[in-house]
Amino acid sequence: MTDPRDEPRAPSPEGAEADGPATGPLAGLTVIDAATILAGPLCAQLLGDYGADVIKIEHPVAGDGLRGHGHAKDGHPLWWKEVSRNKRTVGLSLSDPEGADVFRGLVARADVLVESFRPGTLERWGIGPDELHSLNPGLVIVRISGFGQRGPYAGRAGFGTLAEAMSGFAHLTGEPEGPPTLPAFGLADSVCGIAASSAAMMALFARERDPLRRGQVVDLSLLEPLLTAVGPSPTVYDQLGVVERRHGNRSTNNAPRNTYRTSDGHWVAVSTSAQAIAERVMRLVGHPEVIDEPWFATGGGRAAHADLLDGMVAGWIGARTREVVIEEFTGAGAAVAPVYDARGLVEDPHVREAGMLTRVRDEDLGPLLMHNVMWRMSRTPGAIRFTGRAPGADTDAVLVKELGLDPAEVARLRERRAVR
């Protein structure tokens, strides 16, 4: 079998490497990314994928903390290559008064600022929202923090893990008798980053409809988007006094719903959220008799008989290979999907044909496989123009050619480590 990592692949029409000026629905928009790990940078990445000119600000000495996260190849951080794609990088110390002056000059020309410092930090440096809006009234400032800009927890250190714990996600994840379970990836940050990109666009839309073209401050915590994703547990508790608990891979809303092992050692996931799908599954696995049971008519009724239904489905799937299971489920119009690791995802024909992953030329590593732009647009598609760059790769171009600073002044700032 050919290793998919070595297989040459034509770039997808959307998300493919693009030379020249940015295109897309956000072309002409300038975004300052002064955030770090991970929600803010993901928000800025999404804006950059659809044409915004994103200027990434990172500390001139330490660099962005994301550069040290995840796997690296030949010293080049792979996660950085994706999350910082379509971003020009400027090394700039915002805590240095002279660095803050340069930052003011950049912000004066920008449409959006994304920042994730602990609340009060920008104000302490003299570059809080009030001052920035005095320079640029139209600026949209997206402030991302662990717990928001106000409230008793506002000053606490906040990371996605804490949001995953407090939101109810960890409490509801895992086996019934096991411990609360945290995700193995940046779930809270990712959900927040996607939400932040939507919030930024809402604020820009409001600016367009404002006769004075005023920007505003978006206050977004890591906690709140994940609260929404976890579901209506607070409402259920408020109205019924019910505290939901862990059910493993099962659901209280429907059954059968679980992961099941095939005869060749693979796993598949089955969902029966729709009544018709549940009926098709039970006919397929040879137990049509349960469809006539009164309790089978509702998702909650089926969930109460999950042991029975799971046993029937698991027995049928366990006697067949994954290929046969998926083929027969698909033929019956039932819902099934393989449980993939990274290799399975990369090899999947639908993922490949739909262009969910694409190869982009990287100046350090050559052709680099990464996630494509997140959604398809028929008239103004997004594009991956370049991958994450080296620290300070664009400092001179941005500060000298665009901001108009004298090269000697930039050199002086570099000597005092205010810029890189």
Side-chain angles (χ1 to χ4, degrees):
M1 183 182 214
T2 303
D3 189 331
R5 293 172 299 178
D6 298 329
E7 183 179 336
R9 220 171 142 227
S12 161
E14 290 199 73
E17 175 189 2
D19 295 322
T23 59
L26 303 184
L29 200 72
T30 299
V31 176
I32 306 296
D33 175 3
T36 189
I37 317 168
L38 163 71
L42 178 58
C43 167
Q45 177 213 309
L46 291 171
L47 300 179
D49 283 353
Y50 290 91
D53 175 21
V54 181
I55 299 174
K56 173 66 183 178
I57 305 297
E58 54 182 322
H59 193 274
V61 178
D64 192 293
L66 188 61
R67 291 185 182 273
H69 275 56
H71 294 279
K73 181 180 180 182
D74 300 332
H76 301 290
L78 299 178
W79 202 1
W80 175 266
K81 291 290 186 182
E82 176 168 330
V83 177
S84 293
R85 69 193 189 192
N86 295 331
K87 300 179 185 179
R88 297 188 291 163
T89 62
V90 173
L92 183 63
S93 174
L94 304 189
S95 63
D96 183 297
E98 295 194 57
D101 278 340
V102 175
F103 180 71
R104 292 184 185 95
L106 292 172
V107 165
R109 303 156 52 92
D111 298 284
V112 179
L113 166 65
V114 183
E115 66 96 0
S116 62
F117 293 99
R118 194 177 298 194
T121 301
L122 290 186
E123 288 84 350
R124 189 170 68 251
W125 293 339
I127 46 176
D130 289 346
E131 177 167 355
L132 297 182
H133 276 146
S134 72
L135 299 170
N136 181 355
L139 182 68
V140 170
I141 304 175
V142 180
R143 311 195 77 176
I144 298 174
S145 59
F147 303 102
Q149 298 294 317
R150 58 182 57 85
Y153 299 165
R156 291 185 181 182
F159 297 99
T161 298
L162 309 187
E164 289 146 10
M166 288 185 63
S167 65
F169 174 85
H171 169 75
L172 292 173
T173 304
E175 293 301 318
E177 303 305 321
T181 302
L182 297 167
F185 57 94
L187 175 64
D189 277 272
S190 297
V191 174
C192 182
I194 296 168
S197 69
S198 177
M201 296 314 302
M202 289 182 188
L204 288 169
F205 183 71
R207 187 182 74 175
E208 289 302 304
R209 301 203 301 178
D210 181 0
L212 300 179
R213 289 185 56 82
R214 289 169 297 182
Q216 59 186 294
V217 176
V218 175
D219 177 6
L220 183 60
S221 73
L222 292 175
L223 180 58
E224 289 171 278
L226 196 56
L227 281 175
T228 300
V230 168
S233 295
T235 304
V236 172
Y237 172 71
D238 174 69
Q239 294 297 304
L240 302 175
V242 173
V243 176
E244 296 181 282
R245 56 189 180 86
R246 290 185 288 286
H247 297 279
N249 289 324
R250 289 179 173 174
S251 169
T252 57
N253 299 315
N254 62 82
R257 189 262 200 182
N258 214 324
T259 57
Y260 307 90
R261 192 161 190 166
T262 62
S263 64
D264 52 349
H266 295 290
W267 291 87
V268 296
V270 172
S271 177
T272 58
S273 295
Q275 181 70 21
I277 299 294
E279 294 176 6
R280 291 171 193 168
V281 168
M282 299 318 297
R283 288 193 185 99
L284 175 63
V285 303
H287 289 280
E289 73 279 2
V290 299
I291 296 173
D292 296 325
E293 295 288 344
W295 51 262
F296 195 87
T298 65
R302 298 196 308 274
H305 293 78
D307 286 343
L308 173 66
L309 298 177
D310 266 348
M312 294 172 174
V313 175
W316 188 90
I317 289 177
R320 292 160 175 81
T321 64
R322 181 175 70 178
E323 182 178 1
V324 169
V325 169
I326 292 176
E327 180 179 333
E328 296 205 24
F329 261 73
T330 302
V336 69
V339 177
Y340 277 155
D341 57 15
R343 173 179 285 275
L345 184 67
V346 169
E347 292 177 347
D348 183 86
H350 180 80
V351 171
R352 295 165 65 82
E353 181 66 22
M356 296 179 185
L357 302 174
T358 191
R359 290 196 183 277
V360 184
R361 184 183 61 81
D362 177 73
E363 61 184 10
D364 299 309
L365 301 174
L368 189 61
L369 187 70
M370 62 174 59
H371 298 104
N372 208 335
V373 296
M374 194 173 289
W375 51 84
R376 310 290 181 257
M377 299 183 71
S378 62
R379 190 171 60 83
T380 55
I384 303 171
R385 302 183 298 279
F386 52 88
T387 59
R389 297 160 71 81
D394 303 286
T395 298
D396 288 322
V398 172
L399 300 192
V400 176
K401 295 181 181 179
E402 297 180 23
L403 200 55
L405 296 185
D406 186 273
E409 174 65 6
V410 174
R412 185 187 68 79
L413 292 172
R414 188 169 278 126
E415 284 182 5
R416 67 174 277 150
R417 296 188 173 182
V419 305
R420 178 168 183 167

